């Protein structure tokens, strides 16, 4: 299992749209000594996430986890899609789609994302 991202910070689902390219943005606000962090996935094909995470580990999904998604949810994750699994040792959520992108800056929580205008966000 390849770990893609780890943080003890709080992240929340900032935006998801099923139209305009199926994009997902998770955001951790600017901290006293740390930048704002945006995590972004484009081309989302499926997801199961909590609205808020206090600490976050995202790793590549295994072939067994791809099979489990199909058996539990009837969702086939093609080999061409990235399966991003939330949880260090067990699946606590997932996003299937494009690669996981990360950007850090000094923006405020409600400022636009580096990843461009996302419909429905400021």
């Amino acid at each position: 299992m390849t770990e893609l991202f780890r943080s003890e910070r709080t992240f929340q689902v900032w935006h998801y749209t099923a139209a305009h390219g199926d994009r997902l943005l998770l955001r951790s606000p600017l901290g006293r000594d740390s930048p704002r962090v945006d995590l972004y996935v484009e081309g989302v094909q499926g997801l199961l996430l909590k609205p808020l995470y206090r600490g976050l580990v995202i790793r590549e999904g295994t072939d067994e986890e791809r099979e489990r998604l199909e058996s539990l949810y009837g969702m086939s994750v093609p080999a061409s899609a990235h399966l991003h699994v939330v949880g260090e040792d067990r699946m606590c959520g997932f996003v299937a789609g494009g690669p996981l992108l990360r950007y850090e800056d000094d923006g405020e929580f409600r400022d636009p994302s580096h990843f461009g205008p996302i419909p429905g966000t400021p």
Side-chain angles (χ1 to χ4, degrees):
M1 291 183 275
T2 302
E3 190 172 286
L4 302 172
F5 181 80
R6 175 185 290 270
S7 176
E8 296 304 316
R9 296 177 63 176
T10 297
F11 281 80
Q12 78 176 71
V13 174
W14 179 247
H15 190 78
Y16 171 70
T17 179
H20 308 289
D22 300 325
R23 295 178 272 184
L24 171 72
L25 180 68
L26 289 102
R27 176 168 281 178
S28 180
L30 183 68
R32 181 178 302 172
D33 298 317
S34 56
R36 177 181 72 172
V37 179
D38 283 351
L39 301 175
Y40 178 79
V41 177
E42 192 169 70
V44 173
Q45 299 172 11
L47 67 125
L48 176 64
L49 295 173
K50 297 187 306 185
L52 185 74
Y53 290 92
R54 289 182 171 81
L56 185 64
V57 174
I58 301 175
R59 60 180 173 77
E60 289 180 1
T62 64
D63 289 339
E64 292 80 20
E65 288 167 325
R66 287 174 185 266
E67 291 171 8
R68 191 175 332 142
L69 290 178
E70 185 158 4
S71 68
L72 289 175
Y73 303 110
M75 182 188 144
S76 177
V77 181
S80 61
H82 296 263
L83 177 58
H84 311 291
V85 172
V86 176
E88 187 168 10
D89 54 358
R90 64 184 181 91
M91 185 186 299
C92 301
F94 70 89
V95 179
L100 178 68
L101 303 176
R102 169 184 173 173
Y103 188 78
E104 298 182 10
D105 63 20
D106 292 326
E108 295 297 324
F109 192 65
R110 297 203 46 88
D111 288 348
S113 174
H114 160 80
F115 296 107
I118 299 176
T121 61

